[in-house]
Amino acid sequence: MSANFDPHRRCDGVTRRDFVRIGGLTAMGLGLSDLCVARRAAGAASPANAKHCILLWLDGGPSHLETFDMKPAAPAEVRGPFQPAATAIPGVAICELLPETARRMQQIAIIRSMTSPLGEHNFGAHYLLTGYKPTPAVEYPTFGAVVAEVRGDAGVLPQNIAVPEFRVGGGRLSGNGYLSAATRPFSVGGDPAKADFRVRHLDFYPGVDGERV
C-alpha cells in the first residue's frame, strides 16, 4: 500500500465530499465533470480534511431577525427590535449585539436561503438534524448520535451533549433513534448560568466519598 494512500479518495482523485456536492451542482445544471474541469482551470489544490466539527443547535434560540438577517427595510412589525451593524465584509450587516462576530465575518458563511418544505418548526428541526423527513415508521438518529456511534469512545467527555435537556423537535426526538442508547445526547440538566449549577450524575452517591470510591 502506498504511503500516500487516502481511504477517502477514489482512484480517479474524487473525494467523498465531491460527491456530496454533486447534488447541489446538478440542480444548477452542473455535474462532476464540470467540477473537475473548474478545479483544474483554477489550479485548486485538494481540499484539506477537516479533523473537527462542532454543531451548536440552538433550538428555540434567537430569531434570525435578531441575529444575522435583520431586514432593516422591512416594516417595523416584521423586522427585529435591534439595529444592523457593519461587519468586516462590506455590504454584510448583522445585529449590533454581535460585535465580535462582526469583526470575524470573513471567517463565517451566512446561509440566508435555507428553508423547510414541511411548514412546521419541529418537523423542520427533525429534517435538518437527521437528514430525513419525519415518518411514523422509524425514528432516525441525529448527526451527533451518528458521530458517537461511528467514533465510539473517543475520550472522557461525551461527544453528544444537550444543555440543559434534549428537547429538539418538540421533545418528540430521542436523539439516538434506532442506534444504541449510549449515543443519546447527554443532558447536563439545569442552567449553567446559575451559581449552584452542577452537571447531573457526576456527584458521588449519597454517603460515598472519594476515599471510599
Side-chain angles (χ1 to χ4, degrees):
M1 181 178 295
S2 169
N4 296 323
F5 173 74
D6 183 353
H8 302 292
R9 185 174 293 277
R10 290 159 36 104
C11 58
D12 56 7
V14 179
T15 64
R16 294 178 184 175
R17 186 169 296 187
D18 289 334
F19 278 102
V20 174
R21 292 172 175 166
I22 298 307
L25 291 173
T26 303
M28 295 184 292
L30 301 174
L32 180 59
S33 60
D34 301 283
L35 173 65
C36 295
V37 170
R39 274 192 173 175
R40 285 195 296 270
S46 299
N49 291 322
K51 296 181 179 179
H52 302 283
C53 175
I54 300 176
L55 170 63
L56 298 178
W57 182 270
L58 303 179
D59 198 56
S63 164
H64 61 103
L65 295 173
E66 301 165 351
T67 51
F68 299 104
D69 191 14
M70 305 295 293
K71 300 189 184 303
E77 61 272 16
V78 173
R79 64 177 183 264
F82 306 116
Q83 297 299 314
T87 69
I89 302 297
V92 176
I94 62 175
C95 180
E96 59 183 329
L97 302 182
L98 301 172
E100 295 298 326
T101 303
R103 293 190 186 100
R104 294 168 173 79
M105 189 53 62
Q106 69 274 14
Q107 300 172 330
I108 299 173
I110 299 179
I111 303 175
R112 289 175 168 156
S113 59
M114 182 173 291
T115 185
S116 169
L118 303 179
E120 202 268 344
H121 285 302
N122 293 328
F123 291 158
H126 185 291
Y127 198 0
L128 283 171
L129 276 175
T130 66
Y132 293 91
K133 294 181 179 180
T135 169
V138 61
E139 181 186 325
Y140 293 99
T142 57
F143 293 127
V146 173
V147 171
E149 177 75 15
V150 172
R151 295 189 62 188
D153 186 6
V156 176
L157 294 177
Q159 300 180 72
N160 198 5
I161 301 175
V163 182
E165 311 283 349
F166 186 79
R167 293 192 289 257
V168 173
R172 291 194 290 268
L173 278 175
S174 68
N176 59 298
Y178 51 73
L179 297 179
S180 67
T183 65
R184 183 173 300 173
F186 175 76
S187 296
V188 301
D191 183 356
K194 294 184 178 179
D196 60 348
F197 168 72
R198 302 175 72 89
V199 178
R200 65 171 54 163
H201 306 317
L202 295 186
D203 290 329
F204 290 126
Y205 190 79
V208 178
D209 56 18
E211 183 178 354
R212 182 177 176 186
V213 171

